[in-house]
Amino acid sequence: MNDAAIGIFDSGMGGLTVMRALMALLPNERFLYLGDTARLPYGTKSADTVARYAVQAAGALVKRRIKLLVVACNTASGVALPALQEEFAPLPVIDVIGPGAEAALAASPKGPIAVIATEGTVKAGAYVRAIHAHAPDVEVMQQACPLFVPLAEEGLIDGVIAELVAHRYLDELLARKPHALVLGCTHYPALKGTIGKAAGLDVTLVDSAETTAARVDKALGERNLRRGDASAPDHRFLVTDAPERFARVGEIFLGRKIEPDAIELVDLQ
Ligand code: DGL
């Protein structure tokens, strides 16, 4: 089992920002990534639909034998974590919202903390709950930024259009003077430069990728699941649509080349 891959899924390419942090921390591990590109975005869909998609995506990874599952999508983490844990038990399932809340509180223990995320994550209130579970008195403000996902998927991560959108979403929120700004969608780190420029220097940007990777590292250690083989690991990608586009744009998120022959087109129905 130790040689099995770590499964990761997202609605599209955003979860590659989490895979990037995982690869940096766990260079010896194999990763199997699924991007549900045919059904992106998840963030504007109902909780029931996202939960159904999440179980299907995870099921496709489990079928290919994985030793741990990373839900690299905040929207799915917010509405489907209990369903995934139940459906695939005893597989360890790690989400991004718990680690994101932890990183936010480390950056700003007393708040206020601003969370930018998809409509679904904002509506589910998952970050508010996760932060308040540790620090009930910390003020948490939220803002949905739905256009950031298509901008990132287009590779439009900087320049005048991205900047205008960032100001449209952030100016009012930043006027309330948060100390930390949580990138509560795994697509947003691709726009970190633009978001940081709009936010200014007084606010700390928080990305859950590194804390998530640390949690995966700990889970592997506790369960004795580390890959012992010292040979270079192979990484594979599954997508539900447009593999050539995934190879081309995915590079921006992963920070390295994705070989087209490492990508397989799958049908989740
Ligand atoms: N990357 C996903 C997230 O973290 C969702 C983006 C979307 O499909 O709307 O929420």
Side-chain angles (χ1 to χ4, degrees), residues 211-236:
T211 14
T212 302
R215 223 174 251 202
V216 171
D217 183 33
K218 187 160 171 260
L220 292 178
E222 283 168 356
R223 291 171 176 78
N224 222 352
L225 282 174
R226 287 186 205 289
R227 180 168 175 263
D229 192 340
S231 64
D234 61 318
H235 307 303
R236 306 279 311 163

Side-chain angles (χ1 to χ4, degrees), residues 10-12 14-15 40-44 72-76 118 121 149 184-187:
D10 179 41
S11 59
L40 171 125
Y42 281 6
T44 51
C73 172
N74 290 267
T75 313
T118 66
T121 302
V149 171
C185 169
T186 53
H187 279 76

Side-chain angles (χ1 to χ4, degrees), residues 103-105 107-108 111-115 177-182 202-206:
L105 284 168
S108 175
I113 294 172
V115 178
K177 303 264 173 252
H179 290 149
L181 179 64
V182 181
D202 293 340
V203 57
T204 309
L205 295 197
V206 176

Side-chain angles (χ1 to χ4, degrees), residues 48 98 105 137 205 213 258 266:
D48 284 351
L105 284 168
D137 298 330
L205 295 197
I258 300 176
V266 292

